[in-house]
Amino acid sequence: MNPFRLTIMLASSLALAACTMPNPYSSQPAPVKPSRPTPTTPTKPTQPLPPPVVKPPVIEMPSAPPSPIPEMRSEDLSYLVDGLANKLKGSSAINEVQGPVLLDNISNQAGGPIDTNGLTARLKSNLSGKFNFADGAKVSSLREQLAYQGGRADIASLVRLGKQSGADYLLSTTLSRNGANLALKGQLMELASGEVLWSDSVSGR
């Protein structure tokens, strides 16, 4: 065969083969094998969390201010002292008193500043014609010793104080309050027997 003719035939075969091959630069997408989705296990839907409980704020209301203590006038207190002294002087128990009397300072249980020493002195003055009171200086000295020893002004301490001062009787008084009303209570006791010879009270505003 003619070599030139053979060369032409080979070139034609190569050209035909090139036409049958896919063009890598063609705009047609390459064939893709579709893939099947992998089946997944269905999950239970999660329940939403409950909203957090919000406690309401605690509002502390201010407490009501304490009611002011009514003012205690000196004339009202003097009226109580005089009234209690008159009740004691008018009682039959005063005739049984034959010895010295220890007059205890008026105990203030009414609150507020009160001149209990002045009121006690007024009570003593009202009863001075009926009672013979224990030596005031000795009583004061014994009171100081009692306070130094940490003694309390209870009835047992007062009895001991009365006996040490040479008194045979104890006259004790207490001032108290109920609202706007004041009350002064007195008690006369024989120290040897502990018998209460007299007890009474007066009240007022």
Side-chain angles (χ1 to χ4, degrees), residues 81 103 119-129 131 133-136:
V81 170
L103 176 60
L119 294 176
T120 304
R122 184 182 184 93
L123 180 61
K124 182 178 181 180
S125 177
N126 283 338
L127 298 173
S128 59
F131 290 152
F133 290 101
D135 183 13

Side-chain angles (χ1 to χ4, degrees), residues 13-30:
S13 298
L14 292 173
L16 290 173
C19 292
T20 59
M21 294 179 64
N23 186 6
Y25 302 101
S26 173
S27 61
Q28 294 294 331

Side-chain angles (χ1 to χ4, degrees), residues 84 87-88 91 93 171-172 184-189 196-202:
L84 188 65
K87 282 195 171 185
L88 179 54
S91 69
L171 177 59
S172 58
L184 183 63
K185 181 179 180 180
Q187 176 180 283
L188 179 64
M189 182 178 66
V196 176
L197 303 178
W198 170 84
S199 179
D200 208 337
S201 65
V202 291

Side-chain angles (χ1 to χ4, degrees), residues 91-102:
S91 69
S92 58
I94 199 168
N95 298 323
E96 301 180 28
V97 178
Q98 302 296 328
V101 176
L102 170 64

Side-chain angles (χ1 to χ4, degrees), residues 69-70 72 77 80 104-117 119-120 153 172-178 181-185:
I69 298 176
M72 289 175 286
L77 298 174
L80 294 178
D104 186 34
N105 287 334
I106 294 177
S107 175
N108 177 18
Q109 297 182 7
I114 299 176
D115 181 17
T116 55
N117 291 331
L119 294 176
T120 304
S172 58
T173 50
T174 303
L175 179 67
S176 60
R177 176 198 296 274
N178 184 11
N181 293 325
L182 295 172
L184 183 63
K185 181 179 180 180

